[in-house]
Amino acid sequence: MPKAILKIALDVPLDRLFDYLSGGHAVQVGQRVLVPFGRRSQIGIVIALADTSEFAIEKLKPVSRVFADERPLDHEIISLLQFSADYYQYPFGQALLSALPARLRQIAPAVSRKQYAYQLTTLGKNVDIAQIPKRQSLLRRVLEALKTSAQLTEIELDAISSGARKVAKQLVDLSWASSHQVQAAMRTPELQVTPVPNLNVEQALAVDRIVQAPQGFGAWLLHGITGSGKTEVYIRLMQHALQQPDAQVLVLVPEINLTPQLEARFRSRLANYSLVSLHSNLSEGERLHHWQLAQSGAAKIIIGTRLSIFTPLPNLKLIIVDEEHDSSYKQQDSMRYHARDVALVRAKRLNIPVVLGSATPALESWHNATVSTSLPNKYNLLSLNQRAVTAAQLPEITCIDTTKVHLQQGLTPQLIQALRLRLERKEQSLLFINRRGYSPVLLCSACHWIAPCMRCSSKLVVHLGQKKLRCHHCGHEQRIPNQCPSCGNADLHPTGQGTQRLEQTLTQLFPNARIARVDRDSTSRKNALVEILERVHAQEIDILVGTQMLAKGHDFPNLTLVGVIDTDSALHSPDFRASERLFAQLMQVAGRAGRADKAGQVIIQTQFPEHVLFNALRSQDYVAYANAMLQEREQVQFPPYVFTALLRAEANDYALANQFLQHAFSLARNLSQDVLVYDPVRPQMERLKGMERGHMLIQASHRPALQKLLRNLVMQLRGTSIATKVRWSMDVNPLEF
Ligand code: ADP
Ligand code: ZN
Ligand code: ZN
C-alpha cells in the first residue's frame, strides 16, 4: 500500500506544507501536482509522502492532477531551496515555486508555445505617423518601432509597453501589419574564431592550483585586474571539469547583457558541449526549454543570471561566479537571496569547487580571502596582476577639476580635446555617465521649483526626445509643463547631464562622428544591445555614450579613451556601500580602455579630484583601497565585521508602518541580549510608488545569534494582526538601505 498522504509546498505566504490525498495516483517526491486550494486550483510540489496527517483524513482533499510525465525536482534542489528559505526568512513554498520557470507555475501543461512576430504591410508603411493624434501615443510608438525594424516579436513589443501586443493585433485588423509564428531565440554575436592563447604564468598558476586541489569543496577568489584573462581561466577550468562523464558546469553572470558575449566565447571554445542560457530576456517557452535541458542533464554548460543558481543540475561539478561583487546577484524582492552566497552553499553541499572572479571583489569576499583565517568558508585567493595581452598596459587615469575650467555643455576642454584626438586617429571612445534620460531635473529659473514625483521622494527625469518627464523609481510619466506650476514662469530648464543630452552635445561638437547611446531606453528592444556592440566591433561607431551597462565585460580592442562624467553624487551618499560600488564601477569602466596594443587614457571629470577614492583609482590599487575600506568598516563595526538584517515596512499611511515596526522593535528587544536592535527610522527615499516607508536594522557580531532571533521574530510577526495591514519584508544581509 503506497503512502497516501502527500505533503505539498504551495505558492502561498504561509511557512508550512499542506496535506492532500494521493487519490490513487502514483506520486513521487518532487513531482508537480495540481490541487484544490480554497476556491481555486494551485500548482504545488510534493515534498514528502506520509501515512499520517495532523488533520482528520476525511477532511483532506485528493490532488486533482499529477504531472506524471514531467521529471520531478531532485532532492538537492528542494533541499537547497529549503535552506535558502530558512536562511532568508521566506516561506518555503513561495521560494520553491518562484524558483521554477513561469510555465511550471501555470496550470496549463508546460509545453513551449510559439510566439508571433509582426511586420508592417505596404499599407502600414505608408501611414503618416504625424497624422495620428498625439494622444494615441502608444499606437505612434509601436508604428515607429515597426518602421525602424523589419519585424518585432511579442517579447520585443512587451519591451515597448505592456499594451503594445494589443496595439499590434489592432494593426493586423486594420491590415496595417501582418503576423506570423516565429521560433523565439536570443541572437548571439557572430562567432569569432579566436586562437587559443597560451596561459601566462599567473593564469597557469591559478588553473593549476584549482585543478590540483584535493577533490571536493573549495572556494576560490580569483582577483584579476580588468583584461587579465579571467575568462580564459574559467574556460580552462570548465574544460577540465567537463572531462568528467556527464559533468555540468554553472556560470553565473550579473546581467543579461553580459551573457551574449560570454556565450559566444564559450560556444567557440567549448563547442563540443551543449550550452544553454537562463535569464529574464528569454520568452517563457525558451526559459522552460533551457531549464528542462539543464534538469535532464542534456545541457552541460549553463550560463545564467542570479535565479539560475536554483536550476536543478543532476551532475553539477563546478560553479563559476563572474563579477562576483556585482549587486545584481542580490534579489531585491520576494526571497532576498544573494546568488553568490547561495552558490557557496550549493558548492559546499555538493562538495565541488566554486570560483568567484572579479577585478574588484566585494569587501565581504576580500575579507573572506584575506582577513578571516578561522572561518570554515574561508576562500583561497588567486591573483592575476598583469593584463593578458602583453602589449596592453593599464590605462593612465587623470581627474579634471570641473570647478577650475570652463565647461562646454558639461564637458571639459581636456575631454573634448581627447575625443577629437581619438577621432583623428580613428580610435574609439566611451563616455560613461550613470544617468539615462536628457537631464536629471527640470528647474524653474525664477522660483527654483524642481519637478517632483508625486508618488516617490524623488525628482522627475527629463526625457526630451519623448517630451516627457519620467520617474525612474515608479515609472510615472507626464508631459513637460509649459510653465512652472508653482510661480507661472515659462522659463523651465532641463538641468544637469543625462545620456540623451550628452549624445546631443557630442553630435553638435563632432557632427561627423558616429555616436551610439547605450542605456536602458536605447536597448529595450530585444537585440538592440547586441546590434550596437556588433557595430562597435565593426568600427562603425566612434563614440559610445552609456550607463553602467557599458562598464562591464566588453572587450573593444580599438577603444582607447574613457571619459567619466559626473559621478560626484555617489562620493557623498549616506549609504556606506556607495563608495565601494563607485570604486568598482570606475575600475570596471576604466578597464575598457586600452585593452589591446594601444595605450588607454581615462579622464574623470569631478569637483573633488583629491578625494581618496580618486587617489586610489589613479594608482589602480584595489588591494590598498579594499584594505583601507575594511579597516574603516572594522573601526565603525559595519559589515563584514558584523552581520545585519533589515526589517522593512511600508503602507499608504506611515502611522501603520510605524506601528508595525514599533511592535517588531519591542518583540525583537525581548528576544535576545546578543543582538542589537536599532530604533525604526525612515530611509532616505521615504516614499516610493505611493507607499510610506520605514525600516529597522538588526545587527549582531555572531551569525547564529542573528539567525535565531530572525527566525523567532519573523514567526511572531507572521501571527500578528498589524502585519496584515502593512507590506513588510525581512532582508538578511541587505545591500541597500
Ligand atoms: P578579463 O575577463 O580578466 O577582463 P579576458 O579573459 O577578457 O580578461 O581577457 C582579456 C583579453 O586577453 C581577451 O582578448 C583574451 O582573449 C586575451 N587573453 C586572455 N588570456 C590570454 C593569454 N594567455 N595570452 C594572450 N591573450 C590572452
Ligand atoms: Zn517657478
Ligand atoms: Zn515615482
Side-chain angles (χ1 to χ4, degrees):
M1 186 63 195
K3 297 189 175 181
I5 293 166
L6 310 177
K7 308 265 174 194
I8 293 178
L10 295 176
D11 188 2
V12 293
L14 295 170
D15 196 19
R16 47 166 288 213
L17 299 174
F18 296 84
D19 291 1
Y20 285 88
L21 300 172
S22 67
H25 294 284
V27 186
Q28 296 179 55
V29 169
Q31 200 106 57
R32 211 161 68 91
V33 292
L34 187 67
V35 300
F37 187 80
R39 262 179 264 146
R40 294 178 302 134
S41 284
Q42 282 246 10
I43 290 290
I45 303 288
V46 178
I47 301 302
L49 311 178
D51 293 317
T52 56
S53 170
E54 56 187 293
F55 302 99
I57 302 277
E58 322 70 84
K59 292 246 172 87
L60 298 184
K61 292 181 189 148
V63 296
S64 3
R65 178 163 178 194
V66 178
F67 296 87
D69 50 353
E70 289 172 17
R71 203 178 286 268
L73 289 178
D74 58 38
H75 170 74
E76 192 246 333
I77 209 69
I78 293 177
S79 114
L80 182 68
L81 277 152
Q82 179 79 64
F83 170 87
S84 305
D86 286 348
Y87 184 90
Y88 291 106
Q89 311 299 334
Y90 197 71
F92 167 59
Q94 288 193 302
L96 180 64
L97 271 297
S98 58
L100 301 180
R103 280 286 164 79
L104 293 179
R105 279 174 270 152
Q106 294 158 1
I107 291 169
V111 288
S112 318
R113 192 177 59 93
K114 285 260 174 60
Q115 65 163 333
Y116 285 90
Y118 293 83
Q119 63 194 116
L120 290 182
T121 56
T122 317
L123 193 63
K125 283 181 188 150
N126 289 330
V127 171
D128 183 2
I129 296 178
Q131 297 293 319
I132 297 173
K134 285 242 159 47
R135 63 192 154 74
Q136 288 183 288
S137 67
L138 185 56
L139 176 62
R140 294 169 68 120
R141 269 159 72 198
V142 170
L143 272 175
E144 262 164 30
L146 282 168
K147 279 198 175 180
T148 48
S149 43
Q151 63 169 36
L152 290 178
T153 62
E154 291 176 310
I155 306 288
E156 289 167 341
L157 286 164
D158 291 345
I160 298 174
S161 154
S162 56
R165 281 192 196 204
K166 208 167 134 207
V167 170
K169 286 194 189 119
Q170 288 163 354
L171 293 180
V172 174
D173 295 340
L174 287 169
S175 299
W176 288 7
S178 61
S179 67
H180 59 278
Q181 278 200 332
V182 289
Q183 195 66 49
M186 174 102 170
R187 267 184 60 201
T188 51
E190 297 290 296
L191 277 192
Q192 287 176 358
V193 184
T194 41
V196 177
N198 292 323
L199 294 186
N200 64 32
V201 176
E202 288 180 328
Q203 284 173 316
L205 188 70
V207 172
D208 279 354
R209 280 204 47 206
I210 299 175
V211 169
Q212 303 200 344
Q215 277 226 329
F217 173 74
W220 305 87
L221 180 62
L222 180 63
H223 170 229
I225 61 169
T226 51
S228 59
K230 292 185 289 296
T231 313
E232 189 60 38
V233 172
Y234 303 153
I235 290 171
R236 302 299 169 104
L237 295 174
M238 291 162 76
Q239 279 169 340
H240 179 81
L242 289 166
Q243 280 167 13
Q244 304 165 67
D246 298 326
Q248 294 178 296
V249 175
L250 174 64
V251 183
L252 296 185
V253 292
E255 276 163 284
I256 33 166
N257 55 311
L258 289 184
T259 56
Q261 289 97 45
L262 266 190
E263 212 179 304
R265 246 170 113 176
F266 291 163
R267 276 191 202 283
S268 80
R269 291 288 301 283
L270 301 156
N272 297 335
Y273 301 99
S274 81
L275 179 155
V276 297
S277 59
L278 283 170
H279 51 73
S280 58
N281 239 18
L282 300 175
S283 71
E284 286 183 4
E286 288 170 298
R287 173 95 193 280
L288 173 67
H289 185 57
H290 291 187
W291 188 90
Q292 286 172 335
L293 288 171
Q295 187 200 20
S296 71
K300 304 300 181 212
I301 302 172
I302 295 84
I303 308 187
T305 48
R306 64 173 177 263
L307 184 60
S308 58
I309 190 56
F310 294 117
T311 313
L313 298 161
N315 283 305
L316 184 57
K317 295 292 180 232
L318 170 69
I319 307 178
I320 290 168
V321 185
D322 190 24
E323 311 285 0
E324 66 86 29
H325 65 279
D326 198 287
S327 55
S328 70
Y329 284 125
K330 173 87 171 166
Q331 167 99 358
Q332 298 290 8
D333 53 26
S334 8
M335 181 167 76
R336 293 161 188 261
Y337 64 94
H338 197 299
R340 178 239 293 140
D341 297 346
V342 177
L344 273 136
V345 172
R346 191 169 185 186
K348 180 115 202 205
R349 296 168 141 233
L350 285 173
N351 213 19
I352 59 168
V354 52
V355 178
L356 314 178
S358 175
T360 50
L363 283 186
E364 279 79 3
S365 304
W366 187 247
H367 181 256
N368 278 337
T370 58
V371 183
S372 52
T373 45
S374 60
L375 275 181
N377 281 356
K378 182 179 155 49
Y379 306 166
N380 304 293
L381 179 63
L382 299 166
S383 302
L384 308 177
N385 297 308
Q386 306 295 323
R387 280 200 155 176
V389 178
T390 8
Q393 294 306 314
L394 278 177
E396 177 203 345
I397 300 182
T398 33
C399 294
I400 309 287
D401 188 340
T402 50
T403 61
K404 299 230 167 86
V405 293
H406 176 70
L407 297 182
Q408 206 172 333
Q409 291 281 344
L411 297 179
T412 59
Q414 289 92 332
L415 185 53
I416 294 174
Q417 182 52 32
L419 283 165
R420 187 164 290 129
L421 191 67
R422 293 317 178 290
L423 289 170
E424 283 164 11
R425 288 202 212 139
K426 306 220 176 314
E427 294 171 4
Q428 294 167 312
S429 309
L430 183 165
L431 291 193
F432 172 76
I433 174 165
N434 228 350
R435 210 179 277 116
R436 69 197 164 89
Y438 186 83
S439 77
V441 292
L442 184 68
L443 175 74
C444 168
S445 60
C447 75
H448 300 292
W449 171 86
I450 291 177
C453 178
M454 294 306 176
R455 306 180 64 220
C456 309
S457 319
S458 69
K459 312 283 178 252
L460 293 175
V461 177
V462 184
H463 285 252
L464 214 53
Q466 297 74 33
K467 302 198 172 55
K468 287 270 165 61
L469 296 177
R470 255 187 224 155
C471 174
H472 285 188
H473 298 281
C474 70
H476 166 81
E477 231 181 45
Q478 66 185 62
R479 270 189 322 108
I480 298 181
N482 295 325
Q483 55 183 47
C484 172
S486 171
C487 74
N489 170 35
D491 201 14
L492 296 175
H493 290 283
T495 304
Q497 295 290 328
T499 46
Q500 288 178 13
R501 184 176 215 166
L502 195 55
E503 183 187 21
Q504 186 192 63
T505 303
L506 291 167
T507 313
Q508 287 160 0
L509 283 172
F510 307 110
N512 297 324
R514 296 160 301 175
I515 299 167
R517 171 165 61 89
V518 173
D519 57 26
R520 227 171 343 126
D521 301 315
S522 75
T523 57
S524 57
R525 200 167 49 74
K526 195 175 186 189
N527 289 316
L529 180 64
V530 176
E531 282 165 19
I532 295 175
L533 297 177
E534 274 173 9
R535 281 164 59 209
V536 179
H537 280 290
Q539 305 304 317
E540 290 166 17
I541 302 290
D542 302 309
I543 305 177
L544 263 174
V545 176
T547 57
Q548 45 96 18
M549 288 180 87
L550 278 177
K552 286 170 279 198
H554 307 290
D555 199 7
F556 305 124
N558 196 32
L559 195 148
T560 59
L561 173 68
V562 168
V564 176
I565 319 283
D566 195 14
T567 53
D568 285 352
S569 59
L571 291 175
H572 303 106
S573 162
D575 184 344
F576 73 91
R577 282 198 177 84
S579 54
E580 178 185 352
R581 248 179 258 136
L582 179 63
F583 184 77
Q585 204 167 57
L586 294 181
M587 286 284 275
Q588 293 286 346
V589 73
R592 298 312 108 210
R595 287 170 68 89
D597 51 347
K598 294 176 185 148
Q601 184 187 13
V602 179
I603 293 178
I604 297 173
Q605 298 192 164
T606 171
Q607 296 182 34
F608 311 95
E610 294 311 321
H611 196 282
V612 283
L613 188 144
F614 291 128
N615 282 329
L617 199 67
R618 270 194 294 263
S619 52
Q620 301 184 56
D621 194 346
Y622 165 81
V623 175
Y625 193 59
N627 290 339
M629 279 194 290
L630 274 183
Q631 238 172 38
E632 235 177 77
R633 299 261 185 105
E634 185 170 22
Q635 274 160 17
V636 293
Q637 287 293 293
F638 277 167
Y641 293 92
V642 291
F643 305 103
T644 59
L646 196 67
L647 179 66
R648 292 195 178 84
E650 54 179 40
N652 290 325
D653 178 0
Y654 183 67
L656 279 176
N658 189 43
Q659 196 188 336
F660 169 82
L661 288 169
Q662 294 300 340
H663 178 63
F665 178 74
S666 54
L667 284 178
R669 274 277 161 112
N670 290 325
L671 278 170
S672 167
Q673 309 299 313
D674 304 328
V675 177
L676 205 56
V677 184
Y678 287 91
D679 283 314
V681 292
R682 303 206 66 175
Q684 198 191 14
M685 172 111 20
E686 293 189 356
R687 193 174 345 108
L688 183 66
K689 301 183 187 176
M691 299 292 265
E692 302 292 337
R693 313 162 78 212
H695 66 217
M696 178 178 95
L697 180 67
I698 307 168
Q699 176 180 317
S701 39
H702 296 286
R703 168 75 67 192
L706 178 68
Q707 293 300 123
K708 184 161 165 244
L709 175 133
L710 294 181
R711 197 170 320 116
N712 286 327
L713 177 61
V714 167
M715 214 149 61
Q716 295 191 26
L717 285 176
R718 281 189 186 134
T720 55
S721 66
I722 173 76
T724 60
K725 298 192 188 113
V726 300
R727 260 199 245 154
W728 64 277
S729 63
M730 185 60 86
D731 190 350
V732 181
N733 309 334
L735 279 189
E736 271 157 39
F737 290 86

